């Protein structure tokens, strides 16, 4: 009854305004009392709190690009899992009060850590099983760690050392105390202690020079020079 009364007041006010401006009831039907009510409903929404990277807290829910993250992508989730070749755990029971944005892809609350799988026109927030929210930190776009593990996207990256994991070149190269990884593939014989970036996709360690993943046979790291953006 209270809602109906509010709608009558809104509709009556709209009619009065239209009468003063010379518009008829048919025009009100065309533009619609529903539009007026929609504007009123939006006005009643809590002021969004921007959390960064497109996330917002609105009342009891978290949104990304105007869509609730606990609902986004569910209709196409099975199809995505088929392409991925494994099951994922959609984010449920998100603790809105403690929700925190760590990076473009990684978020967490007091109880869980989340990763955002995204493709054009679609995304889904999934829980990272086995991640510790208290010690979790994002290192790169799809690289993260906690006190016990290194993570690639939403999966544990086995054998990597979380204490020494660090980014060498964003989105491409990282290392720990034992291994250098190029696109998450171990670079055989590369020395993580002396490995460093030069220019473009050139790298070196104590003994060798690399172009991306490829070791440049015969190149002398002590005299090797690059020329900025020139590919020589």
């Amino acid at each position: 009854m209270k809602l109906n009364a509010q709608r009558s007041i809104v509709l009556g006010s709209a009619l009065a305004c239209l009468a003063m401006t010379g518009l008829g009831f048919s025009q009100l039907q065309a533009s619609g009392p529903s539009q007026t009510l929609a504007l009123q409903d939006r006005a009643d929404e809590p002021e969004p709190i921007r959390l960064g990277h497109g996330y917002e807290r609105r009342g009891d829910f978290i949104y990304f690009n105007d869509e609730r993250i606990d609902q986004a992508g569910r209709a196409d989730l099975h199809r995505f899992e088929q392409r991925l070749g494994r099951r994922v755990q959609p984010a449920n029971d998100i603790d809105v009060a403690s929700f925190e944005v760590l990076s473009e892809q990684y978020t967490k609350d007091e109880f869980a850590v989340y990763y955002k799988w995204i493709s054009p026109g679609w995304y889904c927030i999934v829980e990272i099983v086995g991640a510790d929210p208290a010690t979790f930190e994002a290192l790169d776009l799809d690289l993260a760690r906690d006190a016990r593990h290194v993570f690639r996207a939403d999966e544990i990256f086995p054998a990597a050392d979380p204490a020494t994991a660090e980014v060498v070149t964003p989105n491409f190269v990282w290392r720990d105390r034992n291994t250098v990884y190029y696109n998450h593939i171990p670079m055989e014989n590369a020395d993580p202690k002396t490995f460093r970036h030069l220019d473009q996709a050139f790298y070196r360690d104590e003994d060798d020079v690399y172009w991306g993943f490829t070791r440049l046979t015969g190149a002398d790291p002590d005299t090797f020079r690059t020329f900025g953006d020139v590919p020589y």
Side-chain angles (χ1 to χ4, degrees):
M1 293 295 292
K2 184 177 180 181
L3 179 59
N4 289 334
Q6 289 178 339
R7 288 179 175 172
S8 298
I9 292 171
V10 172
L11 181 57
S13 299
L15 286 169
C17 291
L18 289 169
M20 288 188 292
T21 57
L23 297 175
F25 184 69
S26 61
Q27 289 170 292
L28 175 62
Q29 289 179 313
S31 61
S34 60
Q35 291 186 354
T36 306
L37 291 171
L39 291 174
Q40 183 187 37
D41 291 341
R42 290 298 297 268
D44 291 340
E45 289 182 358
E47 188 70 21
I49 300 173
R50 291 180 174 83
L51 304 175
H53 293 288
Y55 290 90
E56 291 183 342
R57 181 185 293 118
R58 301 181 190 173
D60 295 331
F61 302 101
I62 302 294
Y63 288 76
F64 176 77
N65 287 350
D66 287 327
E67 190 172 10
R68 277 176 49 176
I69 67 172
D70 59 332
Q71 296 179 344
R74 301 303 174 91
D76 294 318
L77 184 60
H78 180 64
R79 189 185 311 168
F80 170 71
E81 289 178 329
Q82 288 180 320
R83 292 200 307 267
L84 192 62
R86 61 180 174 88
R87 301 292 299 273
V88 295
Q89 176 61 55
N92 293 308
D93 300 323
I94 296 169
D95 186 63
V96 175
S98 63
F99 186 84
E100 180 182 353
V101 178
L102 304 177
S103 69
E104 184 177 353
Q105 303 300 87
Y106 290 104
T107 56
K108 69 176 184 178
D109 59 28
E110 184 179 355
F111 307 102
V113 182
Y114 310 101
Y115 180 80
K116 180 176 65 185
W117 282 106
I118 188 168
S119 63
W122 179 91
Y123 80 92
C124 186
I125 306 293
V126 302
E127 182 176 339
I128 303 179
V129 178
D132 173 32
T135 60
F136 190 92
E137 61 176 322
L139 299 177
D140 207 351
L141 185 67
D142 61 350
L143 183 70
R145 67 180 177 185
D146 63 13
R148 298 169 296 178
H149 304 291
V150 172
F151 299 87
R152 178 189 179 186
D154 63 326
E155 289 189 299
I156 293 174
F157 194 91
D161 177 42
T164 57
E166 62 177 353
V167 175
V168 177
T169 304
N171 304 329
F172 287 103
V173 183
W174 61 282
R175 65 183 172 190
D176 62 14
R177 64 181 178 179
N178 301 313
T179 309
V180 178
Y181 299 91
Y182 193 93
N183 284 337
H184 304 295
I185 301 173
M187 295 180 65
E188 297 294 337
N189 301 320
D191 175 26
K193 294 185 179 63
T194 59
F195 191 89
R196 63 185 178 90
H197 183 218
L198 299 175
D199 276 315
Q200 302 175 61
F202 288 110
Y203 299 86
R204 63 158 291 179
D205 60 17
E206 184 176 9
D207 298 318
D208 294 296
V209 178
Y210 305 84
W211 169 254
F213 194 80
T214 303
R215 176 176 173 269
L216 301 182
T217 303
D220 175 22
D222 292 329
T223 58
F224 189 88
R225 298 291 182 269
T226 58
F227 303 94
D229 291 334
V230 180
Y232 294 97

